[in-house]
Every structure is written in C-alpha cells, then in structure tokens.
Amino acid sequence: MTALTRTDRRPDVHEMVVVHRAFRREFGAAAGLVRSTPAGDTRRARIVAEHLRLCAAGLEMHHTGEDIVLWPLLLERSAPSTGLVETMQAQHHGIDELVEAITPALAAWEAAPTGAAGERLAALCERFTAALLEHLDLEEREVLPLASRHVTAAEWNQMGQHGKDTMTPSQLPVMFGLVLQDADGEERARMLGNLPLPVRLLLKTAGAWQFRRYVRRLRAS
C-alpha cells in the first residue's frame, strides 16, 4: 500500500466532535443561565449576554468555515451524497434565522432583565438549541464519514485556520478553553498539537488564567 503524502492524508475528523461537544454544553445551558438570572440584575444579565454572544460568534466561525471549505468540496466529490450536503446548508440557514430572532431579544433582556423578557429569550434559546443539536447529530453521523473519505487533511485544516484567524486575542483563550473543557488527555493533545508553539504557550499560561477567571464569573450564581 502506498503511504499517503502530506497533501492527501486523511483528516482527523474527531476534532469536530470535540468542538461540537462545547456547543452542545454551552447552548444546552443557555436557557437555564437566562432563567436563573434574578429580575433586575443587569450586571448578571450582561455577563450571560456576553457569553451567549461569544458562543454565537464561535458557532458562526465554525459554520462559515464549513460553508467556505467543506460543503463545496463535498458537493464536488461526494455524489450521490450531495442531497445530504444541501440539507446541511439548509440547516445552517435555519440556525442563522434563529440567531437573528435571538439577537434583539437578548439585547432587550440585557438592558431590562425582567421575568417576561427572560422567559421570551429562554424559549428562543431552547428552540435554537433543539435545531442546533439536530444539525450536529446529523453532521457527526453522516457528514464526518464522508469528509474522512473525500477531504484531505490539508483541506480540513483550512476550516480550523479560518476560525483561528477570525478570533480576537481576547476571544482565543476563552474559546479554546470552552472547547477543551471536557476533552480527555488525548483529545487535548491532538487539538493543541495543531496550534503554533506561541499560541500553545499562551493557552497554557496567561490564557489558562484568563479562562479560569471567565468560567468563575460565568458560573457564579
């Protein structure tokens, strides 16, 4: 058997499972964070709202990478599975529409965190999370096997590079901290191994402190 070259070796698609785990956890907790915020507590509402915006920005980076890199490659190479890819694209559009509905509701609740505004926002978050989980389940079950056959590691890594290029310096430690929070030792090593050495050092030092501080602030009741 001929060894795969650096340009045609298969991707580590399990990376996406690790990323999805963070989205499942954080968006799954979103409605509860809103409902547990006392009415009138604008400081707490701001903390929760900033977290939900950060998670939404992370999801947008993730989906944009798929839109730019993954879907065009699979549409070109994975026939007769192109209908699946079109379903994934349609689900992206549906999730975007739910984010558009959440955005003004989140701003209104942050400014005036009444019980009624919180319940409206929490209900929207639940609808969004249900749609997102359906999408992530289908992607892991059906798309990742396709990607492992039809996409090279170099092409796959372009998606991750897009996200790293898009994140601000303040977002980077928190986003990676959220992604790695429930990762086991092997998953953590594989995810960090894809990063340049200066970024790895940042995440293990000042970035680790920044993430712990962020989580303490968010999880405080």
Side-chain angles (χ1 to χ4, degrees):
M1 180 181 295
T2 303
L4 293 173
T5 67
R6 293 186 64 183
T7 57
D8 64 7
R9 62 188 177 87
R10 296 299 99 199
D12 179 9
V13 297
H14 185 70
E15 292 174 346
M16 192 171 286
V17 176
V18 179
V19 172
H20 285 181
R21 192 181 297 149
F23 291 139
R24 293 176 192 276
R25 183 188 65 243
E26 298 306 322
F27 287 118
L33 286 173
V34 173
R35 288 190 174 115
S36 65
T37 298
D41 191 342
T42 54
R43 179 181 178 277
R44 178 62 183 167
R46 184 175 65 254
I47 291 170
V48 172
E50 289 174 352
H51 177 65
L52 296 184
R53 290 191 185 101
L54 176 70
C55 293
L59 182 64
E60 182 181 11
M61 293 176 211
H62 179 69
H63 280 181
T64 301
E66 293 175 338
D67 292 338
I68 293 172
V69 178
L70 187 57
W71 306 147
L73 290 173
L74 291 181
L75 284 171
E76 177 186 346
R77 300 173 185 174
S78 67
S81 299
T82 53
L84 170 64
V85 178
E86 291 166 356
T87 296
M88 302 304 291
Q89 291 174 314
Q91 288 182 343
H92 274 197
H93 291 311
I95 289 167
D96 289 343
E97 289 174 357
L98 288 168
V99 171
E100 289 176 4
I102 287 173
T103 299
L106 180 61
W109 173 76
E110 181 182 14
T114 65
E119 187 53 39
R120 283 194 296 271
L121 175 59
L124 285 169
C125 288
E126 288 174 335
R127 285 178 54 200
F128 165 82
T129 300
L132 177 63
L133 295 184
E134 180 183 3
H135 173 71
L136 299 182
D137 288 346
L138 181 60
E139 188 165 77
E140 291 174 9
R141 186 173 63 251
E142 303 291 344
V143 174
L144 294 189
L146 282 179
S148 68
R149 295 196 299 272
H150 297 292
V151 178
T152 69
E155 291 164 340
W156 179 266
N157 290 340
Q158 290 174 17
M159 289 191 293
Q161 189 60 48
H162 166 80
K164 291 190 284 286
D165 291 344
T166 305
M167 279 184 276
T168 67
S170 62
Q171 288 176 328
L172 184 68
V174 176
M175 292 296 296
F176 267 97
L178 292 171
V179 167
L180 297 176
Q181 186 171 324
D182 294 330
D184 63 28
E186 181 181 354
E187 290 169 338
R188 179 179 292 269
R190 287 158 65 179
M191 298 292 286
L192 290 173
N194 291 329
L195 301 175
L197 179 59
V199 177
R200 294 203 303 272
L201 292 175
L202 170 67
L203 294 178
K204 291 179 179 180
T205 54
W209 173 85
Q210 182 179 343
F211 177 66
R212 288 194 298 270
R213 180 173 177 271
Y214 180 92
V215 169
R216 283 197 301 269
R217 183 169 173 257
L218 176 67
R219 307 303 184 204
S221 58

